[in-house]
Amino acid sequence: MRVHSATQPGTPGRPNEDFAATAVPAGGVGGALVLLDGVTAPAGDFGCRHGVAWFAAGLGGALLELAASRRHVPLAGCLDLAISRTADGHGTTCDLSHPRTPQATVVCSRWDDDTVEYLVLSDSALLLRAPDGAVRAVLDPRLDELRPAARRLPMERRAGFLEGLRNAEGGFFTAAADPAVAALAVTGSAPRAAVRSLAAVTDGLGRWVETFRLGGWPELFTLLTDEGPAAAIARVRAAEAADPDGVAFPRGKASDDATAIVVEL
Ligand SMILES: [Zn+2]
């Protein structure tokens, strides 16, 4: 097994709120990966004295440890426990009922000789490449499905519209302080023999496909394996630099934290 990863903050000098880690279980076979994209908090009070990067590191570390050590617990159960554990870490000092309490998108995968399990919540992506080269993207479509309705609104109301649907019925879901969200993640499994390699990317890198349309998910996978995760991030940064004001390619942030993990099984 070989693992490659790279990350870069969207703005130099600002905290990188992505989290990426992999595990090879001691005494076992296979491994696990976790990739989180911490949701940047709004200016002002958001109920937590620790911050989004602290939250992402705590949740990501807990999820990796649980996925690797409790192999009989489904990944959604591991996420449920990891959210609870992280909430317990600051429930007495912070207001976890605040709607913008720290939160993150989640990708998790775990594999052994027989099976590859996966979990995706919100808009980071997991890509599975088969031995014949076919690439399947595992995506949580909820946020993308809301964007057409948002685009029909005046520009100034779009952000508020989507914000109102964050962790709300009929909206989209991120891992925050409520463990019940784990049951809403996209989950599944594939035979190990059908997966040659995996890639997990945060949306700061996924915009190579979804915003700049430089290729599809299979082409991004090829870029990640042929040139490496750091080169893929550099391609995104070049595309952002060519359209700094988002005129040709409208996007929420000019550039975003970008992270990739590639695992060749
Ligand atoms: Zn806190």
Side-chain angles (χ1 to χ4, degrees):
M1 186 177 82
R2 294 179 59 188
V3 178
H4 318 258
S5 65
T7 187
Q8 192 180 89
T11 306
R14 295 261 309 163
N16 186 340
E17 293 165 341
D18 286 357
F19 174 92
T22 54
V24 179
V29 293
L33 71 81
V34 170
L35 177 91
L36 271 56
D37 177 355
V39 180
T40 301
D45 178 46
F46 56 97
C48 173
R49 64 173 67 171
H50 302 91
V52 174
W54 173 89
F55 171 82
L59 179 65
L63 180 55
L64 186 73
E65 189 267 311
L66 289 160
S69 66
R70 302 195 191 182
R71 301 191 69 87
H72 59 287
V73 177
L75 294 181
C78 293
L79 178 59
D80 183 306
L81 289 166
I83 291 171
S84 294
R85 189 184 288 184
T86 309
D88 288 346
H90 65 150
T92 57
T93 56
C94 304
D95 174 15
L96 306 191
S97 69
H98 194 290
R100 289 306 302 268
T101 188
Q103 51 201 269
T105 75
V106 181
V107 174
C108 183
S109 183
R110 177 171 61 187
W111 54 90
D112 60 20
D113 283 345
D114 300 321
T115 306
V116 176
E117 301 164 82
Y118 52 80
L119 176 150
V120 176
L121 183 68
S122 198
D123 59 356
S124 294
L126 178 69
L127 311 177
L128 305 176
R129 183 151 76 176
D132 68 0
V135 171
R136 178 157 74 100
V138 181
L139 306 169
D140 177 353
R142 291 184 184 93
L143 183 55
D144 275 343
E145 287 171 358
L146 295 169
R147 292 192 202 280
R151 280 195 287 270
R152 287 193 290 272
L153 296 170
M155 183 72 84
E156 65 274 12
R157 286 184 54 202
R158 290 178 189 175
F161 169 78
L162 290 174
E163 199 53 44
L165 290 167
R166 176 185 298 280
N167 291 324
E169 190 172 336
F172 65 101
F173 299 90
T174 54
D178 180 4
V181 78
L184 302 172
V186 173
T187 59
S189 65
R192 165 70 179 80
V195 181
R196 176 68 190 83
S197 48
L198 311 89
V201 299
T202 57
D203 67 336
L205 180 53
R207 59 174 54 183
W208 190 88
V209 174
E210 297 184 306
T211 300
F212 296 110
R213 305 196 181 283
L214 293 164
W217 295 112
E219 289 76 27
L220 178 60
F221 208 126
T222 298
L223 175 61
L224 287 166
T225 51
D226 287 5
E227 299 186 32
I233 293 171
R235 298 290 185 87
V236 170
R237 295 292 180 246
E240 291 165 344
D243 179 40
D245 299 320
V247 175
F249 301 101
R251 53 198 192 268
K253 296 175 180 173
S255 61
D256 197 2
D257 299 340
T259 303
I261 308 172
V262 180
V263 180
E264 299 178 45
L265 296 177

